[in-house]
Amino acid sequence: MSNALTWLTDPVNWQDQLGTPGIPTQLGNHLAYSLAAVAIATVIAFPLGLLIGHTGRGTPVVTFANGLRALPTLGLLILLYVVVSPHISGRGDAPYLVPTEIVLVLLAIPPVLGNTCAGVQNVDPAVRDASVGMGMTGREVLFRVELPIALPLVLSGLRSAVLQVVATATVAAYVGLGGIGRYLYDGLAARDFAQMTGGAVLVAALALVLDGVLAGVQRYAVSPGVSGRFGTGPAQAGARVAEAAGKASVPA
Amino acid sequence: MIAALGRIPAQGGQSPPGLLGYFSAHRTEVLHWLWWHAWLSVLPVLIGLVVSLPLGYLASRRRWAYPALVSVSGLLYTIPSLALFVAMPSILGTKILDPVNVVVALSIYTVALLARVVADGLGAVPEDVAQAATAMGYTPLQRLAKVDLPLAVPVITAGLRVAVVANVSLVAIAATIGVPELGQLFTNGFQLSSTGPYYPPIVLGIVLCVVLALVLDLVIVLVNRALTPWRRTEAHR
């Protein structure tokens, strides 16, 4: 552990050397790969989840996406890498980046899709009926009633997607991608355990910080009426149940 | 389905066999890896369960303990598995390839998941049931063993199912740092594909991992059924 601390505090490791990117660059790479994947997955899964949850049609898609979670991440990563990378003749990182981005997007879709859909479907039917009775159109019901109520679940889906992607992006260094995973595998190859442990600390810190930031977003984006931060009542119990349901995700 | 996959034409390599061909050519080592993979997935769940029961009990009985448990387990859950595998040697003083690292790391995840589930399960025992047991003369410990725990079994086994299926996938990741289990099929396939795509070991690894996860899941479902006979009689009524 103390060796890892020495490695982490050595200023040489924080500067870009010729051919070896420094810690800030690799942190930036890791963040960029992860956020790009989560963004693409959200663009695909969030509208789809809203649509399926609102119309109640197409639930087999959610079941299928959840089934994908049973696949071993590493196997999926290497299979896609082997299948896709020979077809990519780009410069630089493209042969590593494209297949791993596809896998990361595939991993981020199920939590976002499943939680968005479940969040919208779990809205109390009485609330939905009341909004229709007040003369809201289907679109208004979705965006002004169902989505705000579903938001805690949607955001916890996003949180587990981010964690899963950050963890898997680390493993993706095995097939040659940059990011903090490089320190783990390069350290292993060179028997440099200080570098390895230092990299592990960095990844854990990155995951904790990202999750903390999203927890903050969740706290302030969710309407006080839904989260029950102000006042007491049935909404509070509902929010707790929703939060508990969102936590039932899988580490990566 | 397996037969169909076996017919995937393999490219690259020298007179490459299909999926089943690959399996029969490497039967001994693949079965050895499967055995290890099963152990590395199951043992942490058993250890995690033993640790989670008292922790969950404490959290269900003491008001201050529940939020503490939820936040600590949330933090542990956030740490990527590879980071935990790699950090274990400097915490435990083990060698980097020691399977103990994987067992301890996955036990930590299991506790992070299960302790909360146990607390929720014990907390969900209906108040009138608990009072009836007390009125019948059960001591707190007897009530825990004969009333609360049996009623919490379905909740706990649901948590066990999530933990064991997640573990099967996480164990495979340890192959990238050299621990021998089914993940070796992926790393071998990766190395064999350096000249051209060579699918059999990779696809075989995915199939075996999914089958292992399904079998372990089924075992827990059956144990749950055996431990909760009253649920079956209720269903027949």
Side-chain angles (χ1 to χ4, degrees), chain B residues 1 11 14 34 77 86 92 114 129 158 197:
Chain B
M1 185 186 137
Q11 304 149 11
Q14 59 285 22
L34 179 63
Y77 230 59
V86 166
L92 300 174
L114 270 187
V129 173

Side-chain angles (χ1 to χ4, degrees), chain A residues 204-239:
Chain A
L206 179 66
L208 287 171
V209 168
L210 278 179
D211 196 51
V213 168
L214 282 172
V217 170
Q218 190 165 11
R219 208 180 152 79
Y220 287 100
V222 173
S223 154
V226 175
S227 69
R229 263 184 292 135
F230 303 131
T232 50
Q236 241 181 344

Side-chain angles (χ1 to χ4, degrees), chain A residues 59-60 68 70 74 86 89-90 106 121 152 164 166 189 195 203 211 217 226 229 245:
Chain A
T59 35
L68 285 182
L74 179 67
S89 49
L106 282 179
Q121 274 177 338
Q164 177 115 11
V166 167
Q195 184 187 353
V203 177
D211 196 51
V217 170
V226 175
R229 263 184 292 135

Side-chain angles (χ1 to χ4, degrees), chain A residues 54 128 132 135-146:
Chain A
H54 183 69
R128 201 175 290 137
V132 174
M136 286 188 174
T137 63
R139 184 184 293 255
E140 283 172 334
V141 172
L142 177 60
F143 286 106
R144 296 181 56 188
V145 178
E146 289 174 334

Side-chain angles (χ1 to χ4, degrees), chain B residues 100-117:
Chain B
V100 169
N101 299 329
V102 178
V103 173
V104 174
L106 293 182
S107 300
I108 291 175
Y109 278 134
T110 310
V111 172
L113 177 86
L114 270 187
R116 183 184 172 144
V117 169

Side-chain angles (χ1 to χ4, degrees), chain B residues 45-182:
Chain B
V45 174
L46 297 178
I47 297 173
L49 180 63
V50 169
V51 178
S52 300
L53 285 175
L55 279 181
Y57 176 71
L58 184 73
S60 73
R61 287 301 125 92
R62 296 279 177 273
R63 191 176 282 270
W64 56 267
Y66 188 78
L69 182 80
V70 169
S71 28
V72 171
S73 58
L75 281 183
L76 290 174
Y77 230 59
T78 308
I79 301 170
S81 54
L82 186 63
L84 212 49
F85 294 154
V86 166
M88 272 302 145
S90 50
I91 297 169
L92 300 174
T94 44
K95 290 220 169 62
I96 185 73
L97 288 181
D98 201 327
V100 169
N101 299 329
V102 178
V103 173
V104 174
L106 293 182
S107 300
I108 291 175
Y109 278 134
T110 310
V111 172
L113 177 86
L114 270 187
R116 183 184 172 144
V117 169
V118 171
D120 289 341
L122 291 177
V125 172
E127 192 54 36
D128 50 352
V129 173
Q131 285 177 0
T134 310
M136 284 171 72
Y138 281 98
T139 64
L141 214 60
Q142 280 176 324
R143 206 190 89 191
L144 174 69
K146 295 190 174 164
V147 179
D148 294 353
L149 263 183
L151 285 178
V153 161
V155 182
I156 297 173
T157 48
L160 284 174
R161 291 176 69 184
V162 175
V164 90
V165 172
N167 277 1
V168 172
S169 178
L170 294 179
V171 166
I173 289 174
T176 60
I177 51 171
V179 179
E181 24 71 10
L182 287 178

Side-chain angles (χ1 to χ4, degrees), chain A residues 1 71-75 78-79 81-83 163 167 171 174-175 184-185 188 196-197 200 203 207-208 211 249-252, chain B residues 75 77-83 86 90 96 116 166 169-170 172-173 176-177 186-187 190-191 193 197 199 202 206 209-210:
Chain A
M1 229 0 148
L71 292 173
T73 345
L74 179 67
I78 290 182
L79 183 65
Y81 174 76
V82 168
V83 171
L163 290 184
V171 180
Y174 182 78
V175 299
L184 302 185
Y185 291 117
L188 181 68
M196 244 182 133
T197 316
V203 177
L208 287 171
D211 196 51
S249 53
V250 170
Chain B
L75 281 183
Y77 230 59
T78 308
I79 301 170
S81 54
L82 186 63
V86 166
S90 50
I96 185 73
R116 183 184 172 144
S169 178
L170 294 179
I173 289 174
T176 60
I177 51 171
F186 304 141
T187 53
F190 175 70
Q191 277 145 18
S193 297
Y199 303 116
I202 305 173
I206 292 178
C209 278
V210 171

